[in-house]
Amino acid sequence: MTVTAESTTVVLDPRRNVPGARQGFGHTLRAEWIKFWTVRSTPWSFAALFALGAGLTVLVCATSAEWLASSEADESPGSFVTWGMMFAQITAIVLGTLAVTSEYGTGMIRATLAATPRRGAVLAAKAAVLAGTLFVAGVVTAVVGFLGGNWFLDREGIGLALTDDGVLRSMLGSGLYLAGLGLFAAAVGILVRHTAAALSVVLALVFVVGNMAFLLPGTWGEWTAKLLPGNAGSEVTTPVSFNPELLAPWTGFAVFSAEVLALLVVGWLAFQRRDA
C-alpha cells in the first residue's frame, strides 16, 4: 500500500490582516482612534470642555442679561453667546498635548512605530482623530451654549437668531478654532515630548503672552499682539468681538491656521528624524 502526501497551497488575501503585511492608513487611523479614547483622561477632558464652554456661556448670559438690556451696557449681547469658549480652550490644549506626550511618557510610542513604521501616517492619523473630535465637540458645545444662554437674552428682548450676522460663523468657528488649537498643542508636544513642558508653553503663549503683548508699545507691539495664535484664531468664535482692534475673524483664523501648519511641519520633521 502506497501513501501519497498531498501538498496544499494556501493563498493569502492581501486585503485581510496578514501578519507582517503592510497596513493601510485606515488601520492606522482606527488604531489611533482606539488609543485616543482608551486614555482615561479623554472622556473627562471632553466633559470639562462641554461644562466650561456651554455651562459658563449659559451662566454668564443668565447673570448679565438684565445689564445687557439696560442703557448702562457698553457691550453687545453677541459678545456673550459663546463666552465660555475662551475657557474651553484649556481642555483643547490639554487634549492636544496628551494625544502625543502620553505615548512618550508610557513608552507606547515605540510599540506604535513598531506596528506602523511610516511615521508620517502615524502623525496624520493622530492629527485627523484629534482635529475631528475637537471640531465636533467645539461645534456642539458652542450651539448648546448659545441656545441656553440666548434663552435668558430673549427674556430681556435682546436675543439673537442663528441667522444674525456672525452667529453661525461663530458656531462653526468654535469647532475650527478648538481643532486648530489642539493640533498646535500636539505639535508642541511632538517637539518637547513632555506633558508638563508642552502644557506650560502653550498655555503661557495663549493666555499670558497673548494678553501681555497688548502692553508692547508702538505699531510693532500692536501687530505682535494681533498675530499671536490665541488672539488671531479666537476671533472666529464670537459673533461680536470684545476687542475690535484685532484681526477680522476669517483673516485672523487664516493667520492662525498658517501658524498651526508651520508648527506641524516642524514637528513632523522632528518626528521623522528623532529616535522614539
Side-chain angles (χ1 to χ4, degrees):
M1 180 177 180
T2 303
V3 178
T4 303
E6 294 184 2
S7 61
T8 302
T9 302
V10 178
V11 179
L12 298 178
D13 185 351
R15 294 170 297 179
R16 300 180 65 86
N17 292 331
V18 179
R22 187 174 183 177
Q23 303 296 333
F25 182 73
H27 292 84
T28 305
L29 188 65
R30 184 160 57 250
E32 291 300 327
W33 174 265
I34 293 171
K35 284 191 294 182
F36 183 74
W37 285 105
T38 50
V39 176
R40 284 181 294 178
S41 61
T42 298
W44 288 107
S45 295
F46 276 107
L49 188 154
F50 184 81
L52 291 171
L56 288 180
T57 296
V58 174
L59 179 62
V60 167
C61 287
T63 56
S64 304
E66 186 176 351
W67 172 74
L68 287 169
S70 70
S71 58
E72 299 176 357
D74 55 358
E75 297 287 354
S76 167
S79 299
F80 289 78
V81 291
T82 55
W83 191 86
M85 299 308 293
M86 72 174 72
F87 293 97
Q89 296 179 84
I90 299 172
T91 54
I93 292 170
V94 170
L95 281 164
T97 301
L98 290 177
V100 174
T101 58
S102 61
E103 286 202 64
Y104 281 104
T106 61
M108 183 67 182
I109 189 66
R110 289 188 287 273
T112 296
L113 296 179
T116 310
R118 294 177 298 161
R119 297 191 176 199
V122 172
L123 188 58
K126 284 183 182 294
V129 170
L130 177 65
T133 50
L134 280 174
F135 172 75
V136 172
V139 172
V140 170
T141 300
V143 170
V144 172
F146 167 77
L147 294 175
N150 198 52
W151 184 83
F152 292 98
L153 300 180
D154 270 333
R155 294 178 62 188
E156 300 294 335
I158 54 172
L160 302 176
L162 281 172
T163 54
D164 285 349
D165 186 37
V167 175
L168 282 177
R169 184 258 301 155
S170 68
M171 303 293 107
L172 176 65
S174 293
L176 290 172
Y177 177 60
L178 292 191
L181 199 58
L183 292 176
F184 188 89
V188 174
I190 292 170
L191 292 173
V192 303
R193 302 198 290 188
H194 190 276
T195 301
L199 284 174
S200 298
V201 169
V202 182
L203 289 172
L205 183 62
V206 172
F207 291 100
V208 180
V209 178
N211 287 309
M212 295 296 290
F214 289 106
L215 301 177
L216 296 174
T219 304
W220 72 273
E222 176 185 343
W223 278 100
T224 298
K226 287 181 178 181
L227 297 176
L228 283 170
N231 295 336
S234 61
E235 286 299 284
V236 78
T237 66
T238 179
V240 180
S241 175
F242 280 107
N243 187 351
E245 299 301 320
L246 293 175
L247 297 174
W250 289 119
T251 302
F253 186 75
V255 171
F256 172 67
S257 298
E259 293 167 342
V260 172
L261 180 60
L263 196 59
L264 280 172
V265 170
V266 174
W268 174 75
L269 291 173
F271 190 54
Q272 292 279 24
R273 297 180 181 183
R274 293 193 301 196
D275 293 334

